Amino acid sequence: MMSAGVELDRIEKTYGATTTLRAATLDVKPGEFMTLVGPSGCGKSTLLRIIAGLLPQTSGEVHIDGASIDHLPPRERDIAMVFQSYALYPHMSVAENVATPLKVRRLSRMARLPALGRLLPGQARTRREITDEVRRVADLVEIGPLLERKPAALSGGQRQRVALARAIIRDPRVFLMDEPLSNLDARLRVTMRAEITALHRRLGATFIYVTHDQTEAMTMSSRVAVMMDGTIIQCSTPQGLYEAPEDLRVARFIGSPEINVVASDTVAGWEGGNTRLGQLLQRPLHIAFRPEAVRLSAESAAQTDMLHLSCHIERTERLGHDVLLFLRVLADGAGVTARIPAADFARLDAPGGVLTASLHPADLLAFGPDGKRVALPGLAAATNRGLSHVG
Amino acid sequence: MAAAPNHRASPRRASRRRLPWGQIGTHLVLLLLAVLFLFPFYVMLVTSFRSPSELFTPEFHLLPQEFTGLKYYIESITTSPVLTFMKNGVIIALGILVMQILTAIPCAYALAKFEFRGRNLLLALVIFALTVPIQVPALPLYLGLNALGLLDSYFAAMVPFFLSVFAIFLFRQSFKSYPDEIIQAARLDGLSEWAILWRIVVPGSIPAIAAFAVFSITTHWNDLYWPLIVIRSNELMTPPLGLATFADVESGENYGALMATATILTAPLMLVFMLAQRQFVRGVTMTGVK
Ligand SMILES: Nc1ncnc2c1ncn2[C@@H]1O[C@H](COP(=O)(O)OP(=O)(O)O)[C@@H](O)[C@H]1O
Ligand SMILES: [Mg+2]
């Protein structure tokens, strides 16, 4: 079946007095792999269930290819979902699990009756087709040898594949995946990540993939929607989210280690750089900069157009290729995290654990008191400077 | 197990040498209770194998002095309608059980998994109804059945029990623990609510249903109160009712035959128990490894 675009238009969901979703709006293009990322409890599962029709929204509309589907029951929406707990039917074999969606659609009600149904005439061919289809899909996700087993006799990764097969066999317009990898161990998660993206390319269907893991979000898809407190606050490419977050919460959520955030009063006191910086920071703002924007080399310390901070090294963490330095600004006590390549760290000159950290004003992101991004015309657009490090 | 004694095993062995008085005490109490419960059955069995003259001798013998073999059993089967009683017992107990399961499962599912106005009130009513014994609605039921001309029938013997609040309550507890995500997956797969209930959720509650079946069959096989009220004809009598009638008619001498009849009528229940026990274990392992 053709893939389809999904539009969510100001979806609200309230449970009594508590609001779980507020004006969640999202536009997923046909055939796109859209990742929905956000901390636990922000309403991701609730949103997926509303798209699938398993839960009614309080207000707002769900459209598929421009047509509202809010009146359709789950089975008529042509949407398949993979659940976090896999949700396999425990008393059925793997083959029966995978065949269920097809049996429901292609066999008559009578023919589906246990035992008796097989005796009805005129369905042998349909049954054979279903068996072939199950075999084909099982081979696709490599569970061919497991078809006769019960779910209880499978490992987590195998159950995950069965759940995928049960979704694939329906050939749906849209796949929904609710944290499908969160119950797997770290190694398996990395391989399954690659398999799911490969599956997306092969099927060409629209995927909406939910996760609370930002690494998963940043590595799997071309566009990522960040969800917080029941609403989607930014939808962009992984690169865009990292370099040009529109909300302080996005800036903090994306990227590890976390972005540095300092009050503008403190930054105004920092020496050097653009002389206009002090004037620009008249009103209270949050100033944020990525750990890799902090330069520690002697050359940077000599540049006149940069801000310079005398810092004390509190702690270092070696991450292999990179080193994290946790610095404390001597003048005002602000904490700053820096990330530099291990080779540069070896050449670092820090007598008594004190060194000069330098920042280019263009690398600073400013956020208003409400957390929304504020453009400071004096700061050249940070996006153009090409901070290349993602994740 | 016996091979390779290691360090971990030795302290356990040392403690085993001390007598576990607590355990011995528990087992003595259990043994005493078992004897207490089994003694009437023992007397029933032994009486069906001994001559009536032994019953009223001053000294009590554990085993028959004069073993009568199957004499009383043959007498019971040939002279009394014990097989008819048994057939009636099977029809009534199974009829009640089937109807109870058919009615209780949808009610329990709705109470367990659907959100609707008044659900908590309905559940409270179910729990309240658990406390009402059959004696309370007996008279109105009798009058109603009489007015409809349905007295003295299988239907009259079964109908008050078609709806079991105990079953509703028990199944609701069991369904409530069934994972919502599996039910949602089934909805997406296109199964109707009815199919989800019977094909997906019910197979996960086999242990609860088996437990209830044992409870229900025992209750209604042994019930004397209600059949005594609505059954008149000999051909419709249930085991306890038949036994009571039989005892009255043939009172006096024929204790042997009476006890043989009682044994025959109790045997199916024992059989059900043993079969269900095996079913229990299978059901528990089925859900345990889920
Ligand atoms: N039936 C419910 N009644 C009340 N609150 C609920 C219900 N279901 C979910 N919630 C609330 O909605 C919020 C979002 O839940 P969920 O969508 O599962 O978050 P996520 O999947 O992002 O972790 C949670 O805070 C949860 O407590
Ligand atoms: Mg969730």
XYZ file of all heavy atoms in Angstrom, chain B residues 188-278:
703
model
N -6.026 -3.339 16.995
C -5.382 -2.879 15.760
C -5.343 -3.999 14.724
O -5.429 -3.746 13.532
C -3.962 -2.403 16.059
C -3.859 -1.007 16.649
C -2.455 -0.745 17.147
C -4.251 0.032 15.614
N -5.193 -5.230 15.191
C -5.172 -6.360 14.263
C -6.543 -6.612 13.657
O -6.678 -7.415 12.756
C -4.676 -7.627 14.974
C -3.153 -7.650 15.056
O -2.527 -6.803 14.415
O -2.609 -8.516 15.763
N -7.561 -5.963 14.197
C -8.878 -6.053 13.589
C -9.847 -6.992 14.282
O -10.949 -7.203 13.794
N -9.465 -7.567 15.407
C -10.383 -8.461 16.099
C -11.522 -7.657 16.723
O -11.318 -6.543 17.207
C -9.654 -9.240 17.202
C -9.011 -10.555 16.765
C -7.691 -10.288 16.085
C -8.795 -11.471 17.952
N -12.723 -8.234 16.705
C -13.857 -7.572 17.350
C -13.694 -7.696 18.861
O -12.947 -8.548 19.346
C -15.159 -8.230 16.916
O -15.190 -9.560 17.394
N -14.402 -6.863 19.607
C -14.312 -6.927 21.069
C -14.671 -8.324 21.563
O -14.079 -8.846 22.494
C -15.250 -5.908 21.720
C -14.767 -4.477 21.661
C -13.360 -4.269 22.208
O -13.061 -4.754 23.313
O -12.553 -3.633 21.523
N -15.681 -8.901 20.910
C -16.134 -10.244 21.296
C -15.012 -11.260 21.097
O -14.737 -12.085 21.958
C -17.369 -10.596 20.468
C -18.254 -11.616 21.067
C -18.543 -12.840 20.549
C -18.984 -11.502 22.299
N -19.395 -13.505 21.380
C -19.683 -12.711 22.474
C -19.102 -10.519 23.275
C -20.498 -12.961 23.571
C -19.906 -10.767 24.375
C -20.588 -11.964 24.513
N -14.353 -11.170 19.934
C -13.251 -12.099 19.632
C -12.082 -11.857 20.575
O -11.427 -12.799 21.017
C -12.806 -11.934 18.182
N -11.809 -10.592 20.889
C -10.713 -10.293 21.816
C -10.978 -10.971 23.145
O -10.108 -11.611 23.729
C -10.562 -8.765 22.013
C -10.042 -8.121 20.734
C -9.623 -8.467 23.179
C -10.034 -6.613 20.774
N -12.234 -10.861 23.605
C -12.570 -11.457 24.896
C -12.377 -12.966 24.874
O -11.652 -13.520 25.694
C -14.019 -11.095 25.263
C -14.568 -11.796 26.505
C -13.701 -11.536 27.714
C -15.990 -11.331 26.771
N -13.016 -13.630 23.909
C -13.042 -15.101 23.955
C -11.774 -15.747 23.426
O -11.389 -16.817 23.868
C -14.259 -15.634 23.189
C -15.529 -15.292 23.888
C -16.374 -14.269 23.584
C -16.082 -15.929 25.053
N -17.409 -14.227 24.476
C -17.266 -15.238 25.385
C -15.695 -17.018 25.838
C -18.057 -15.590 26.471
C -16.485 -17.373 26.910
C -17.656 -16.666 27.218
N -11.113 -15.101 22.461
C -9.953 -15.736 21.835
C -8.639 -15.283 22.434
O -7.625 -15.952 22.290
C -9.946 -15.443 20.326
C -11.267 -15.698 19.627
C -11.452 -17.148 19.287
N -10.340 -17.633 18.471
C -10.269 -17.474 17.172
N -11.225 -16.858 16.528
N -9.243 -17.935 16.506
N -8.623 -14.104 23.053
C -7.355 -13.573 23.563
C -7.332 -13.534 25.096
O -6.424 -14.055 25.723
C -7.091 -12.147 23.012
C -7.203 -12.120 21.492
C -5.748 -11.621 23.497
C -6.078 -12.793 20.756
N -8.345 -12.934 25.690
C -8.293 -12.702 27.144
C -8.656 -13.968 27.925
O -7.959 -14.330 28.877
C -9.231 -11.539 27.542
C -9.199 -11.318 29.041
C -8.828 -10.266 26.818
N -9.728 -14.651 27.507
C -10.165 -15.831 28.255
C -9.091 -16.923 28.330
O -8.856 -17.472 29.407
C -11.506 -16.369 27.687
C -11.804 -17.760 28.207
C -12.637 -15.416 28.042
N -8.385 -17.221 27.226
C -7.325 -18.237 27.352
C -6.269 -17.888 28.395
O -5.600 -18.772 28.917
C -6.704 -18.287 25.952
C -7.785 -17.823 25.048
C -8.559 -16.792 25.819
N -6.133 -16.614 28.713
C -5.174 -16.227 29.747
C -5.712 -16.396 31.151
O -4.997 -16.195 32.118
N -6.998 -16.744 31.270
C -7.600 -16.867 32.596
C -8.070 -18.284 32.889
O -8.942 -18.494 33.731
C -8.781 -15.899 32.729
O -8.318 -14.578 32.783
N -7.502 -19.253 32.177
C -7.902 -20.652 32.382
C -7.798 -21.077 33.860
O -8.712 -21.728 34.373
C -7.067 -21.599 31.488
C -7.332 -21.295 30.015
C -7.356 -23.065 31.798
C -8.703 -21.679 29.524
N -6.733 -20.703 34.574
C -6.653 -21.141 35.973
C -7.833 -20.631 36.806
O -8.409 -21.383 37.592
C -5.342 -20.537 36.472
C -4.548 -20.281 35.250
C -5.524 -19.976 34.171
N -8.191 -19.383 36.614
C -9.314 -18.830 37.377
C -10.604 -19.547 37.012
O -11.430 -19.859 37.878
C -9.448 -17.336 37.106
N -10.784 -19.843 35.726
C -12.010 -20.514 35.295
C -12.041 -21.942 35.830
O -13.083 -22.417 36.298
C -12.123 -20.475 33.756
C -12.298 -19.018 33.308
C -13.283 -21.330 33.276
C -12.181 -18.804 31.820
N -10.899 -22.619 35.814
C -10.841 -23.986 36.343
C -11.146 -23.981 37.841
O -11.890 -24.832 38.334
C -9.465 -24.595 36.085
N -10.590 -23.007 38.544
C -10.847 -22.927 39.986
C -12.327 -22.723 40.242
O -12.931 -23.380 41.098
C -10.045 -21.775 40.600
N -12.920 -21.837 39.453
C -14.345 -21.595 39.638
C -15.165 -22.834 39.291
O -16.146 -23.152 39.961
C -14.808 -20.408 38.792
C -16.286 -20.228 38.855
C -16.871 -19.695 40.000
C -17.104 -20.634 37.818
C -18.238 -19.560 40.096
C -18.473 -20.510 37.907
C -19.043 -19.970 39.047
N -14.759 -23.551 38.237
C -15.501 -24.743 37.821
C -15.549 -25.762 38.958
O -16.605 -26.342 39.243
C -14.860 -25.354 36.578
N -14.418 -25.963 39.623
C -14.381 -26.908 40.739
C -15.357 -26.459 41.834
O -16.171 -27.235 42.327
C -12.952 -27.004 41.318
C -12.968 -27.745 42.645
C -12.043 -27.693 40.333
N -15.280 -25.182 42.135
C -16.139 -24.628 43.170
C -17.615 -24.806 42.808
O -18.424 -25.282 43.600
C -15.815 -23.144 43.338
C -16.777 -22.424 44.212
C -16.635 -22.445 45.590
C -17.838 -21.727 43.649
C -17.541 -21.775 46.393
C -18.745 -21.071 44.453
C -18.598 -21.091 45.827
N -17.956 -24.466 41.578
C -19.351 -24.486 41.153
C -19.892 -25.919 41.094
O -20.978 -26.212 41.588
C -19.476 -23.820 39.784
O -20.765 -24.030 39.261
N -19.123 -26.825 40.489
C -19.598 -28.203 40.349
C -19.807 -28.824 41.729
O -20.824 -29.479 41.986
C -18.606 -29.025 39.497
C -18.692 -28.563 38.038
C -18.900 -30.516 39.601
C -17.688 -29.217 37.125
N -18.862 -28.606 42.636
C -18.997 -29.153 43.983
C -20.271 -28.633 44.652
O -21.062 -29.401 45.199
C -17.797 -28.724 44.855
O -16.615 -28.885 44.097
C -17.718 -29.538 46.114
N -20.441 -27.323 44.566
C -21.601 -26.720 45.220
C -22.901 -27.307 44.698
O -23.775 -27.703 45.472
C -21.608 -25.195 44.974
O -20.351 -24.684 45.359
C -22.712 -24.524 45.761
N -23.046 -27.382 43.382
C -24.341 -27.753 42.831
C -24.551 -29.258 42.777
O -25.675 -29.728 42.803
C -24.535 -27.077 41.477
C -24.571 -25.589 41.626
N -25.594 -24.941 42.274
C -23.677 -24.635 41.290
C -25.337 -23.641 42.312
N -24.169 -23.429 41.724
N -23.475 -30.021 42.728
C -23.608 -31.477 42.834
C -24.114 -31.819 44.237
O -24.973 -32.678 44.409
C -22.253 -32.128 42.571
C -22.274 -33.631 42.606
C -22.123 -34.418 43.713
C -22.465 -34.511 41.505
N -22.202 -35.737 43.371
C -22.411 -35.824 42.011
C -22.670 -34.318 40.136
C -22.560 -36.940 41.189
C -22.807 -35.428 39.333
C -22.760 -36.720 39.853
N -23.591 -31.110 45.225
C -23.935 -31.417 46.615
C -25.175 -30.696 47.130
O -25.610 -30.956 48.236
C -22.768 -31.036 47.533
C -21.601 -31.980 47.378
O -21.795 -33.137 46.968
N -20.413 -31.520 47.679
N -25.704 -29.766 46.343
C -26.796 -28.943 46.847
C -28.048 -29.782 47.108
O -28.491 -30.550 46.255
C -27.111 -27.837 45.832
C -28.157 -26.873 46.380
O -28.251 -26.747 47.620
O -28.863 -26.251 45.566
N -28.607 -29.611 48.310
C -29.853 -30.313 48.640
C -31.002 -29.325 48.726
O -32.137 -29.623 48.335
C -29.693 -31.047 49.977
C -30.930 -31.792 50.502
C -31.392 -32.851 49.510
C -30.626 -32.433 51.848
N -30.675 -28.116 49.185
C -31.708 -27.135 49.504
C -32.627 -26.826 48.322
O -33.841 -27.003 48.398
C -31.040 -25.852 50.005
C -32.010 -24.761 50.344
C -32.707 -24.774 51.549
C -32.233 -23.716 49.460
C -33.601 -23.770 51.859
C -33.124 -22.701 49.765
C -33.812 -22.728 50.966
O -34.693 -21.742 51.273
N -32.046 -26.377 47.220
C -32.886 -25.928 46.102
C -33.582 -27.093 45.378
O -34.794 -27.005 45.117
C -32.064 -25.067 45.133
C -32.917 -24.459 44.060
C -32.914 -24.763 42.746
C -33.947 -23.477 44.248
N -33.854 -24.039 42.078
C -34.511 -23.236 42.979
C -34.460 -22.793 45.352
C -35.552 -22.329 42.776
C -35.487 -21.889 45.151
C -36.021 -21.662 43.882
N -32.888 -28.193 45.076
C -33.603 -29.312 44.452
C -34.757 -29.807 45.324
O -35.829 -30.160 44.813
C -32.522 -30.387 44.314
C -31.245 -29.641 44.277
C -31.438 -28.452 45.159
N -34.565 -29.785 46.642
C -35.624 -30.223 47.549
C -36.873 -29.370 47.358
O -38.000 -29.852 47.460
C -35.116 -30.084 48.994
C -35.923 -30.750 50.105
C -36.011 -32.241 49.866
C -35.273 -30.462 51.446
N -36.686 -28.095 47.029
C -37.819 -27.193 46.868
C -38.517 -27.409 45.533
O -39.743 -27.467 45.458
C -37.350 -25.716 46.991
C -36.896 -25.436 48.419
C -38.452 -24.754 46.573
C -36.369 -24.047 48.639
N -37.748 -27.545 44.432
C -38.391 -27.523 43.114
C -38.552 -28.892 42.455
O -39.309 -29.011 41.504
C -37.637 -26.589 42.129
C -37.795 -25.146 42.549
C -36.186 -26.993 42.003
N -37.826 -29.911 42.921
C -37.913 -31.210 42.241
C -38.853 -32.148 43.001
O -38.742 -32.307 44.218
C -36.519 -31.871 42.127
C -35.546 -30.973 41.351
C -36.615 -33.242 41.467
C -35.853 -30.811 39.896
N -39.802 -32.748 42.268
C -40.709 -33.724 42.869
C -40.478 -35.124 42.294
O -40.421 -36.102 43.014
C -42.167 -33.351 42.578
C -42.616 -32.041 43.129
C -43.663 -32.230 44.234
N -44.016 -30.935 44.813
C -43.178 -30.225 45.547
N -41.975 -30.685 45.794
N -43.527 -29.048 46.013
N -40.375 -35.204 40.954
C -40.339 -36.522 40.320
C -39.014 -37.223 40.576
O -37.956 -36.601 40.616
C -40.552 -36.402 38.807
O -40.637 -35.071 38.416
N -39.105 -38.550 40.712
C -37.913 -39.360 40.947
C -36.914 -39.254 39.803
O -35.714 -39.320 40.020
C -38.313 -40.825 41.126
C -38.869 -41.070 42.521
O -38.738 -40.204 43.394
N -39.511 -42.210 42.711
N -37.442 -39.095 38.559
C -36.539 -39.105 37.405
C -35.664 -37.859 37.350
O -34.722 -37.800 36.576
C -37.307 -39.178 36.065
C -38.391 -40.204 35.970
C -39.668 -39.706 36.632
O -40.307 -38.813 36.059
O -39.999 -40.211 37.726
N -36.021 -36.824 38.124
C -35.263 -35.573 38.045
C -34.381 -35.337 39.265
O -33.739 -34.313 39.383
C -36.228 -34.392 37.882
C -37.018 -34.352 36.585
C -37.944 -33.146 36.565
C -36.094 -34.306 35.385
N -34.381 -36.303 40.191
C -33.702 -36.052 41.457
C -32.184 -36.002 41.311
O -31.582 -36.785 40.595
C -34.085 -37.118 42.471
C -35.438 -36.832 43.067
S -35.843 -37.995 44.336
C -37.451 -37.382 44.799
N -31.598 -35.083 42.058
C -30.141 -34.952 42.062
C -29.564 -35.917 43.097
O -30.302 -36.443 43.935
C -29.742 -33.516 42.426
O -30.275 -33.223 43.712
C -30.264 -32.521 41.404
N -28.259 -36.153 43.077
C -27.675 -37.131 44.008
C -28.062 -36.926 45.477
O -28.569 -37.877 46.088
C -26.177 -36.974 43.772
C -26.074 -36.542 42.359
C -27.272 -35.695 42.096
N -27.892 -35.741 46.061
C -28.220 -35.636 47.492
C -29.709 -35.841 47.750
O -30.091 -36.480 48.731
C -27.817 -34.201 47.856
C -26.971 -33.726 46.756
C -27.363 -34.484 45.542
N -30.531 -35.315 46.845
C -31.975 -35.445 47.021
C -32.387 -36.908 46.900
O -33.150 -37.432 47.720
C -32.696 -34.597 45.962
C -34.213 -34.518 46.076
C -34.623 -33.994 47.437
C -34.787 -33.648 44.963
N -31.819 -37.572 45.899
C -32.105 -38.989 45.713
C -31.667 -39.797 46.925
O -32.405 -40.654 47.424
N -30.501 -39.467 47.417
C -29.949 -40.185 48.562
C -30.851 -40.015 49.783
O -31.148 -40.972 50.494
C -28.549 -39.630 48.864
C -27.595 -40.534 49.621
C -27.392 -41.833 48.873
C -26.271 -39.812 49.814
N -31.307 -38.780 49.990
C -32.182 -38.496 51.129
C -33.468 -39.293 51.010
O -33.928 -39.929 51.966
C -32.474 -37.005 51.192
N -34.058 -39.290 49.808
C -35.301 -40.016 49.590
C -35.089 -41.510 49.802
O -35.849 -42.181 50.485
C -35.794 -39.773 48.152
O -35.619 -38.402 47.847
C -37.252 -40.159 48.014
N -34.018 -41.995 49.193
C -33.650 -43.398 49.264
C -33.487 -43.827 50.729
O -33.998 -44.852 51.148
C -32.333 -43.556 48.501
C -31.922 -44.979 48.264
C -32.735 -45.842 47.535
C -30.700 -45.435 48.739
C -32.327 -47.143 47.307
C -30.302 -46.735 48.506
C -31.111 -47.598 47.786
N -32.805 -43.002 51.520
C -32.581 -43.320 52.932
C -33.897 -43.409 53.678
O -34.102 -44.287 54.505
C -31.680 -42.261 53.560
N -34.804 -42.529 53.382
C -36.103 -42.540 54.060
C -36.870 -43.815 53.747
O -37.378 -44.491 54.632
C -36.942 -41.328 53.597
C -36.514 -40.089 54.346
O -35.703 -40.242 55.290
O -36.961 -38.989 53.982
N -36.939 -44.126 52.452
C -37.748 -45.259 52.008
C -37.210 -46.566 52.562
O -37.943 -47.402 53.069
C -37.797 -45.298 50.469
C -38.483 -46.566 49.992
C -38.516 -44.058 49.945
N -35.909 -46.729 52.476
C -35.328 -48.009 52.840
C -34.689 -47.983 54.223
O -33.788 -48.763 54.489
C -34.263 -48.385 51.811
C -34.704 -48.106 50.386
C -34.519 -49.309 49.488
O -33.731 -50.188 49.867
O -35.184 -49.358 48.459
N -35.119 -47.071 55.039
C -34.435 -46.891 56.324
C -34.418 -48.191 57.118
O -35.170 -49.112 56.859
C -35.124 -45.795 57.130
O -36.466 -46.179 57.359
N -33.548 -48.221 58.091
C -33.452 -49.433 58.886
C -32.281 -50.275 58.449
O -31.139 -49.815 58.463
N -32.590 -51.458 57.980
C -31.569 -52.464 57.733
C -30.464 -52.048 56.775
O -29.297 -52.235 57.042
C -32.261 -53.717 57.147
C -32.373 -54.822 58.112
C -33.467 -54.595 59.156
O -33.763 -53.428 59.525
O -34.018 -55.572 59.608
N -30.831 -51.428 55.629
C -29.935 -51.436 54.485
C -28.851 -50.360 54.465
O -28.698 -49.634 53.504
C -30.755 -51.368 53.198
C -30.096 -52.224 52.127
O -28.925 -52.564 52.267
N -30.841 -52.546 51.105
N -28.069 -50.275 55.556
C -27.006 -49.259 55.599
C -25.934 -49.518 54.561
O -25.357 -48.595 54.001
C -26.382 -49.193 56.985
C -27.265 -48.462 57.954
C -28.028 -49.144 58.889
C -27.329 -47.077 57.926
C -28.848 -48.470 59.764
C -28.153 -46.394 58.797
C -28.906 -47.091 59.723
O -29.715 -46.426 60.579
N -25.670 -50.770 54.318
C -24.628 -51.125 53.354
C -24.929 -50.548 51.984
O -24.100 -49.857 51.386
N -26.151 -50.796 51.526
C -26.536 -50.305 50.201
C -26.561 -48.781 50.176
O -26.170 -48.145 49.193
C -27.904 -50.864 49.819
N -26.993 -48.209 51.284
C -27.056 -46.753 51.372
C -25.653 -46.145 51.211
O -25.431 -45.208 50.451
C -27.646 -46.359 52.729
C -28.013 -44.897 52.911
C -29.058 -44.474 51.888
C -28.519 -44.663 54.325
N -24.711 -46.740 51.933
C -23.345 -46.220 51.864
C -22.710 -46.505 50.502
O -21.917 -45.706 50.002
C -22.486 -46.829 52.983
C -22.827 -46.290 54.354
S -22.668 -44.498 54.451
C -24.315 -44.013 54.886
N -23.079 -47.636 49.901
C -22.572 -47.935 48.556
C -23.079 -46.877 47.591
O -22.327 -46.354 46.752
C -23.032 -49.324 48.121
N -24.359 -46.522 47.719
C -24.930 -45.479 46.861
C -24.193 -44.158 47.078
O -23.827 -43.459 46.130
C -26.427 -45.294 47.180
O -27.046 -46.586 47.157
C -27.086 -44.386 46.182
N -23.973 -43.837 48.357
C -23.282 -42.587 48.669
C -21.894 -42.567 48.045
O -21.461 -41.557 47.483
C -23.190 -42.405 50.178
N -21.211 -43.714 48.121
C -19.871 -43.791 47.539
C -19.927 -43.554 46.037
O -19.134 -42.790 45.479
C -19.251 -45.174 47.821
O -19.321 -45.412 49.229
C -17.808 -45.227 47.354
N -20.891 -44.228 45.395
C -21.018 -44.063 43.939
C -21.271 -42.604 43.588
O -20.724 -42.063 42.625
C -22.166 -44.952 43.396
C -21.809 -46.430 43.572
C -22.442 -44.632 41.938
C -22.946 -47.369 43.263
N -22.085 -41.914 44.401
C -22.455 -40.537 44.078
C -21.338 -39.539 44.402
O -21.313 -38.446 43.864
C -23.735 -40.147 44.823
C -24.983 -40.920 44.369
C -26.197 -40.530 45.197
C -25.257 -40.672 42.889
N -20.441 -39.937 45.295
C -19.337 -39.016 45.631
C -18.169 -39.178 44.659
O -17.409 -38.232 44.435
C -18.824 -39.306 47.059
O -19.949 -39.548 47.898
C -18.056 -38.124 47.608
N -18.067 -40.371 44.072
C -16.906 -40.669 43.224
C -16.693 -39.659 42.089
O -15.565 -39.203 41.886
C -17.027 -42.085 42.683
N -17.752 -39.281 41.350
C -17.512 -38.344 40.233
C -16.875 -37.040 40.690
O -16.029 -36.465 40.005
C -18.912 -38.080 39.684
C -19.732 -39.216 40.144
C -19.157 -39.658 41.440
N -17.273 -36.583 41.880
C -16.736 -35.343 42.406
C -15.236 -35.457 42.648
O -14.453 -34.575 42.320
C -17.461 -35.027 43.711
C -17.824 -33.573 43.951
C -18.499 -32.982 42.740
C -18.713 -33.475 45.169
N -14.857 -36.589 43.222
C -13.430 -36.846 43.464
C -12.672 -36.813 42.140
O -11.588 -36.239 42.035
C -13.252 -38.232 44.096
C -13.922 -38.363 45.435
S -12.998 -37.449 46.671
C -14.101 -37.517 48.063
N -13.295 -37.417 41.136
C -12.672 -37.503 39.820
C -12.464 -36.110 39.233
O -11.387 -35.774 38.742
C -13.583 -38.331 38.903
C -12.864 -39.199 37.885
C -12.137 -40.334 38.585
C -13.858 -39.730 36.869
N -13.516 -35.281 39.337
C -13.424 -33.905 38.825
C -12.291 -33.176 39.525
O -11.487 -32.480 38.899
C -14.762 -33.161 39.049
C -14.579 -31.658 38.820
C -15.821 -33.713 38.118
N -12.217 -33.371 40.824
C -11.172 -32.710 41.597
C -9.793 -33.069 41.076
O -8.946 -32.218 40.844
C -11.259 -33.138 43.067
C -11.756 -32.032 43.950
C -12.839 -32.225 44.781
C -11.116 -30.798 43.950
C -13.302 -31.202 45.596
C -11.563 -29.778 44.758
C -12.665 -29.980 45.581
N -9.603 -34.365 40.856
C -8.266 -34.805 40.443
C -7.927 -34.301 39.049
O -6.810 -33.862 38.797
C -8.182 -36.321 40.519
C -7.912 -36.771 41.950
S -7.593 -38.508 42.070
C -9.176 -39.164 42.464
N -8.924 -34.332 38.147
C -8.678 -33.825 36.793
C -8.365 -32.336 36.835
O -7.433 -31.859 36.203
C -9.911 -34.067 35.913
C -10.136 -35.510 35.494
C -11.396 -35.616 34.641
C -8.937 -36.029 34.706
N -9.151 -31.600 37.617
C -8.987 -30.147 37.649
C -7.647 -29.768 38.239
O -7.040 -28.775 37.857
C -10.124 -29.516 38.441
N -7.188 -30.598 39.180
C -5.906 -30.306 39.806
C -4.793 -30.283 38.754
O -3.968 -29.387 38.722
C -5.621 -31.366 40.853
C -4.620 -30.911 41.877
C -4.346 -32.009 42.872
O -4.783 -33.145 42.708
N -3.618 -31.667 43.901
N -4.849 -31.281 37.865
C -3.854 -31.338 36.799
C -3.987 -30.110 35.897
O -3.031 -29.480 35.495
C -4.056 -32.627 35.997
C -2.818 -33.067 35.282
C -2.955 -34.498 34.795
N -2.896 -35.467 35.877
C -3.174 -36.769 35.732
N -3.556 -37.221 34.562
N -3.081 -37.596 36.735
